[in-house]
């Protein structure tokens, strides 16, 4: 275990360790190794990850601010229940942000459209079916990049900033949409349709396709989250 003390909390190394702990604990929640209601202590996390308690505490307070864990000062930490209503509100906000951006992008003057961004998207998403990537984590990352690129290409940095915040907050459940091969293929198909509509500057079609795509993802993620929670908790009830 690291012997670094609390006085090191502000150092770049400690900040890096806190980021690592944050990623690992959040991944444990996303992969249902930690399920809602599970309790744990800072010492347990520190021992498991081989770090001091300071970066663990920093990471956990960050996760608390994001609504994933809560602290009980006499009994450690606990994983919060999934707040489905919050996630659905964030998905609704995502629809507003992305459809607004795509509408602006389709109606922008040609000399203001960043074709390089759109061409880069085509390289990954407009490929024959046998050439599609089926690695769920890779496709999840590229899916985020696809939607973020469309928003950024609209040219409104504040719109893009808010969209990044929404993306960060839904990432933990959104990634479930890429755990099944049929959903990966659906994403390729739907992204291709959206991208072609944007390139052809068909604003209403692009907005409708995008809205339908996000609504389908929201519905699928809710089903998968409930299913995975059931599977993760089932042994404890046996």
């Amino acid at each position: 275990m690291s012997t670094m003390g609390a006085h090191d909390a502000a150092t770049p190394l400690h900040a890096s360790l806190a980021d690592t702990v944050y990623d690992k604990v959040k991944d444990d929640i996303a992969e249902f190794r930690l399920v809602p209601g599970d309790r744990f202590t800072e010492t347990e996390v520190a021992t498991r990850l081989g770090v001091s308690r300071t970066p663990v505490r920093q990471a956990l307070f960050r996760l608390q601010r994001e609504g994933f864990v809560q602290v009980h000062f006499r009994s450690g930490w606990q994983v919060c229940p999934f707040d489905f209503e919050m996630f659905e509100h964030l998905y609704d906000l995502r629809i507003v942000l992305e459809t607004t951006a795509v509408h602006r992008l389709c109606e922008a003057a040609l000399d203001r459209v960043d074709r390089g961004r759109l061409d880069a998207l085509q390289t990954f998403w407009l490929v024959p079916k046998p050439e599609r990537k089926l690695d769920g984590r890779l496709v999840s990352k590229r899916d985020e990049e696809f939607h973020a690129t469309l928003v950024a290409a609209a040219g409104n940095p504040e719109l893009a900033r808010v969209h990044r915040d929404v993306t960060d907050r839904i990432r933990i459940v959104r990634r479930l949409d890429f755990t099944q091969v049929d959903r990966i293929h659906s994403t390729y198909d739907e992204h291709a349709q959206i991208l072609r509509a944007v390139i052809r500057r068909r604003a209403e079609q692009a907005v409708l396709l995008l809205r339908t795509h996000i609504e389908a993802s929201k519905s699928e993620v809710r089903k998968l989250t409930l299913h995975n929670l059931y599977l993760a908790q089932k042994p404890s009830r046996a």
Side-chain angles (χ1 to χ4, degrees), residues 100-113:
T100 298
V102 163
H103 202 280
R104 283 170 167 252
L105 180 59
C106 289
E107 298 196 339
L110 285 173
D111 61 351
R112 298 185 60 187
V113 174

Side-chain angles (χ1 to χ4, degrees), residues 123-210:
T123 301
F124 186 83
W125 296 104
L126 301 187
V127 295
K129 192 169 184 177
E131 296 179 20
R132 292 175 175 178
K133 306 295 185 184
L134 300 181
D135 180 334
R137 284 183 177 265
L138 171 64
V139 178
S140 176
K141 182 173 182 294
R142 291 302 188 96
D143 171 72
E144 279 194 15
E145 292 172 357
F146 174 87
H147 291 274
T149 297
L150 290 180
V151 173
N156 184 325
E158 287 303 305
L159 194 68
R161 180 186 61 78
V162 175
H163 183 262
R164 283 194 299 273
D165 178 62
V166 171
T167 297
D168 287 343
R169 295 174 67 187
I170 65 174
R171 181 175 296 122
I172 198 165
V173 294
R174 180 178 177 177
R175 62 191 290 185
L176 291 174
D177 204 19
F178 304 96
T179 57
Q180 300 178 0
V181 172
D182 62 331
R183 287 298 302 159
I184 291 175
H185 282 303
S186 294
T187 300
Y188 266 96
D189 293 337
E190 292 163 15
H191 281 192
Q193 293 173 345
I194 295 165
L195 191 52
R196 289 189 180 105
V198 169
I199 291 169
R200 293 168 184 162
R201 303 172 66 76
R202 296 177 179 172
E204 297 305 323
Q205 181 187 22
V207 165
L208 178 60
L209 288 168
L210 183 60

Side-chain angles (χ1 to χ4, degrees), residues 204-223:
E204 297 305 323
Q205 181 187 22
V207 165
L208 178 60
L209 288 168
L210 183 60
R211 179 185 297 276
T212 302
H213 169 65
I214 298 175
E215 289 283 6
S217 176
K218 179 174 73 170
S219 175
E220 192 66 24
V221 163
R222 185 183 179 96
K223 277 195 307 184

